[in-house]
Amino acid sequence: MTIETLSNLFTFVGGLGMFLYGMNIMADGMQKTTGDKMRQLLGILTNNRIMAVIVGALITAIVQSSGATTVMVVGFVNAGIMSLGQAVGVIMGANIGTCITSWIVSLGQVGETFKAISPDFYAPLLIGIGAFLIMFCKKQGKKLAGEILVGVGLLFIGLAFMKDAASAYSDLPIFVNAFKLFGSNPIIGMSIGVLITALMQSSSASVGILQTIASTGGVVTTASAVYISLGSNIGSCFTALLSSIGAPKTAKRAAVIHLLFNIIGAVVFGTALFLVFTLNPILGTSAIDSVGISIFHTVFNITCTALLLPFSNLLVKASGKIVKSDETETVADTAELTLNHLDERILETPSFAVESAVKEVIYVGEVAFDNLKLSIHAMLNNDKDEANKVKEVEEKIDKMVSMISDYLVKISNLSINEKQHQVVNNMFYTISNIERVGDHAENIAELADEKADNNIVFSESAKMEMEEMCDTALKAYENALLARKDRSIEHVRKVVKYEDKADMLEDELREQHIHRLSSNKCNSEAGVIFIDALTNLERVSDHSLNIANYVKDEL
């Protein structure tokens, strides 16, 4: 191996590295910039198949990887955020969205005619501007714009490096004969596409390399480009398939749907075009450029989606036949359900991971709310069975809080913008307050036990006062959860109102109960429980106000 050959090899590998790294930086910057938009995309996921396709295409255009989108879909299905019916449309849309990368690569061919408008020409300038924005601007928005510019610049410089390295070998007989072989044999051509994409874990990268080689001129035939592109679509499924290992059956089916969709599309298109190339050999052996590959890639994915979208229910059924149900597979309890919901695949896209964590915090808050109501009912009615149930649920709440806290730590270490960091920090504080509400529910349940064991009964006036305090604390906490869920300032105001009322009631009812004790209208044992219950309920309202104030800060 000569020094020149080694130099070309290093140049190609370095160019590939810059291309992949640039694409990653660009996608990362776009995700941070579109953080709230990504949250909205998650919110509009419905059973409308067309909308699901659009969402899938938009997400993939942002994250620059259909594989990453599909892995995320597997996580969504596992977390119960998305049904298999919705997943089909998103997966199909992901294949369309990945075409954006091939069109970005195609822009490099513009420079062959007009150097002044070539992306390669401006790439160093983009990196320079981006670096200055990152280093010297204080505003987060400008820093994110800088990241995107650096990513775009590195992407095009990497493509130029690869093109220069590959052009030195474009006339070699072995190179030319290899692409003739790929074009004459669909199975070999598609296998090469599958293999390269599976190894690189990115169909965008494999198609990008193919386009770069094609731009050197004349070496890549139309037939070989078609078959390799079809194979790369199948190869993109391996990321999701690997990700689904160890996941529940439903998540595995989402990965299988992706594989079925791409295999059916590749077989149908591959067979049809093989017949076309057999009838018209000149078309198959003619050279194709980077733009031609982008056109085919786009037409193929849009056509496949249009043809197979009406049969999405059949794809879901087929996945069920391949991954059969296991009747013994059940969710043990709410804690295990939370573990499933906090699927680490969703961390592939930080914006969605933040939203998923918020949903899970609200879910745990609702479990704690139900437990608080149960503890109050147990106390007012001396029900030991309900009190014991409260203690069991409180143990599960503690487990869920621990899981969510660990997940939030992972999200905080991801690449998220300042606003998302604020939400994550507020989730830490919110989940801590929810845990404290759960602790107060347990305290009230213990008071219920004590009341039942000693057959203690509140006087009629004391019971009515306690019911008013319970209702106020419950309303404060319920509105705090609604404020978090709906990001509503109106619910924040209601929490403030009920918290003020709870403070007032605690002072007022404490004095009235002391008066009953001094008048011998109530015994001392009942009095201690009454005061303890008041204290716990007032603190529930305090934690409710804390939760509401975090929402207020965000708004």
Side-chain angles (χ1 to χ4, degrees):
M1 183 179 288
T2 65
I3 291 294
E4 185 181 353
T5 303
L6 200 60
S7 175
N8 283 329
L9 177 62
F10 289 171
T11 301
F12 187 86
V13 172
L16 177 61
M18 279 191 281
F19 169 68
L20 293 173
Y21 186 58
M23 195 163 60
N24 184 62
I25 293 176
M26 181 178 68
D28 196 37
M30 289 173 69
Q31 283 191 60
K32 290 179 185 175
T33 305
T34 59
D36 287 339
K37 298 292 186 296
M38 296 280 270
R39 184 177 63 82
Q40 290 168 16
L41 284 177
L42 183 61
I44 63 174
L45 279 174
T46 65
N47 289 320
N48 185 315
R49 294 170 182 172
I50 303 298
M51 185 60 71
V53 170
I54 294 171
V55 169
L58 288 173
I59 293 171
T60 307
I62 293 169
V63 303
Q64 292 289 299
S65 171
S66 61
T69 301
T70 309
V71 167
M72 196 168 52
V73 167
V74 171
F76 284 158
V77 171
N78 187 37
I81 297 172
M82 186 187 295
S83 68
L84 274 177
Q86 293 168 330
V88 177
V90 177
I91 288 168
M92 291 180 179
N95 278 23
I96 295 173
T98 197
C99 298
I100 190 71
T101 309
S102 66
W103 282 107
I104 291 173
V105 173
S106 296
L107 289 175
Q109 282 210 314
V110 174
E112 295 177 5
T113 308
F114 303 105
K115 182 67 178 175
I117 60 172
S118 168
D120 299 352
F121 182 74
Y122 292 102
L125 177 63
L126 294 177
I127 293 175
I129 294 172
F132 278 110
L133 289 173
I134 293 169
M135 293 179 68
F136 300 114
C137 290
K138 293 182 179 180
K139 289 187 177 180
Q140 181 73 4
K142 290 182 178 179
K143 285 181 178 289
L144 294 179
E147 284 185 27
I148 295 172
L149 289 176
V150 169
V152 172
L154 283 174
L155 187 154
F156 283 114
I157 288 178
L159 286 172
F161 272 40
M162 286 195 289
K163 181 180 175 182
D164 291 342
S167 62
Y169 305 104
S170 60
D171 295 330
L172 291 180
I174 188 171
F175 219 47
V176 175
N177 291 333
F179 279 101
K180 283 183 179 177
L181 175 63
F182 301 154
S184 62
N185 191 318
I187 295 175
I188 294 177
M190 291 171 70
S191 298
I192 290 294
V194 170
L195 181 62
I196 294 173
T197 305
L199 289 173
M200 300 191 71
Q201 297 283 293
S202 171
S203 61
S204 297
S206 59
V207 173
I209 293 171
L210 179 65
Q211 288 180 281
T212 303
I213 297 171
S215 66
T216 60
V219 66
V220 179
T221 64
T222 300
S224 62
V226 164
Y227 298 141
I228 292 171
S229 295
L230 293 176
S232 73
N233 267 47
I234 298 174
S236 68
C237 302
F238 280 86
T239 308
L241 288 170
L242 289 172
S243 172
S244 69
I245 294 173
K249 303 293 183 184
T250 310
K252 285 187 173 74
R253 287 179 192 138
V256 168
I257 287 171
H258 186 211
L259 180 63
L260 287 174
F261 172 67
N262 283 349
I263 286 178
I264 292 170
V267 168
V268 171
F269 258 76
T271 302
L273 289 172
F274 177 73
L275 294 174
V276 171
F277 296 146
T278 301
L279 295 172
N280 188 354
I282 296 175
L283 176 62
T285 55
S286 63
I288 189 171
D289 60 11
S290 179
V291 176
I293 293 173
S294 293
I295 292 171
F296 169 74
H297 197 49
T298 305
V299 170
F300 164 68
N301 284 304
I302 291 176
T303 305
C304 278
T305 299
L307 290 175
L308 293 178
L309 188 60
F311 303 102
S312 55
N313 289 337
L314 291 177
L315 286 174
V316 173
K317 288 180 181 177
S319 69
K321 296 289 184 183
I322 295 170
V323 183
K324 295 183 178 178
S325 298
D326 184 355
E327 293 180 2
T328 62
E329 185 183 18
T330 57
V331 176
D333 56 33
T334 48
E336 188 173 330
L337 187 63
T338 295
L339 185 61
N340 284 342
H341 286 180
L342 301 175
D343 196 297
E344 295 203 7
R345 297 169 188 83
I346 303 174
L347 295 173
E348 292 280 337
T349 307
S351 300
F352 286 125
V354 172
E355 188 63 19
S356 179
V358 171
K359 287 178 180 290
E360 204 56 29
V361 167
I362 294 166
Y363 169 70
V364 177
E366 289 169 347
V367 173
F369 179 60
D370 290 338
N371 213 35
L372 178 62
K373 286 193 291 186
L374 187 64
S375 69
I376 288 171
H377 189 270
M379 179 193 64
L380 293 174
N381 296 280
N382 291 15
D383 192 321
K384 284 183 68 69
D385 290 336
E386 286 185 347
N388 290 332
K389 180 70 183 296
V390 169
K391 295 171 187 175
E392 290 175 12
V393 174
E394 170 56 21
E395 289 180 8
K396 294 175 183 177
I397 290 172
D398 288 342
K399 289 180 184 177
M400 289 188 279
V401 168
S402 176
M403 291 173 189
I404 292 172
S405 297
D406 290 343
Y407 196 73
L408 288 169
V409 169
K410 292 174 184 175
I411 294 175
S412 66
N413 291 323
L414 296 176
S415 184
I416 53 179
N417 61 36
E418 286 181 1
K419 191 171 183 180
Q420 290 167 333
H421 266 298
Q422 182 189 22
V423 172
V424 171
N425 289 338
N426 286 346
M427 286 304 102
F428 274 116
Y429 301 135
T430 299
I431 200 69
S432 176
N433 278 275
I434 287 172
E435 182 181 26
R436 294 297 298 133
V437 169
D439 292 340
H440 289 303
E442 186 176 27
N443 292 344
I444 293 170
E446 288 172 355
L447 295 176
D449 264 344
E450 189 177 344
K451 272 188 74 187
D453 289 341
N454 297 294
N455 199 26
I456 297 170
V457 179
F458 289 150
S459 65
E460 195 60 38
S461 57
K463 186 175 182 181
M464 288 176 63
E465 291 170 356
M466 180 56 66
E467 285 174 347
E468 184 180 8
M469 182 65 174
C470 290
D471 182 63
T472 302
L474 284 172
K475 283 180 178 176
Y477 184 56
E478 182 181 25
N479 278 281
L481 293 180
L482 289 171
R484 177 73 271 171
K485 185 176 183 179
D486 300 334
R487 294 170 60 85
S488 164
I489 196 68
E490 184 58 38
H491 286 300
V492 172
R493 294 192 185 102
K494 287 182 179 179
V495 174
V496 173
K497 183 184 74 172
Y498 286 120
E499 199 277 333
D500 287 342
K501 183 180 178 182
D503 288 344
M504 180 195 70
L505 280 174
E506 188 198 18
D507 292 338
E508 183 181 312
L509 299 184
R510 188 187 294 269
E511 287 183 12
Q512 289 179 10
H513 198 67
I514 291 172
H515 178 70
R516 277 195 297 272
L517 286 171
S518 61
S519 304
N520 293 321
K521 294 179 181 178
C522 182
N523 63 56
S524 58
E525 288 180 326
V528 171
I529 291 174
F530 187 91
I531 298 298
D532 282 351
L534 280 181
T535 302
N536 278 281
L537 290 165
E538 191 277 329
R539 287 178 182 168
V540 166
S541 70
D542 288 341
H543 292 298
S544 303
L545 182 63
N546 291 341
I547 293 169
N549 280 334
Y550 303 138
V551 178
K552 182 182 176 183
D553 290 343
E554 292 172 26
L555 296 175

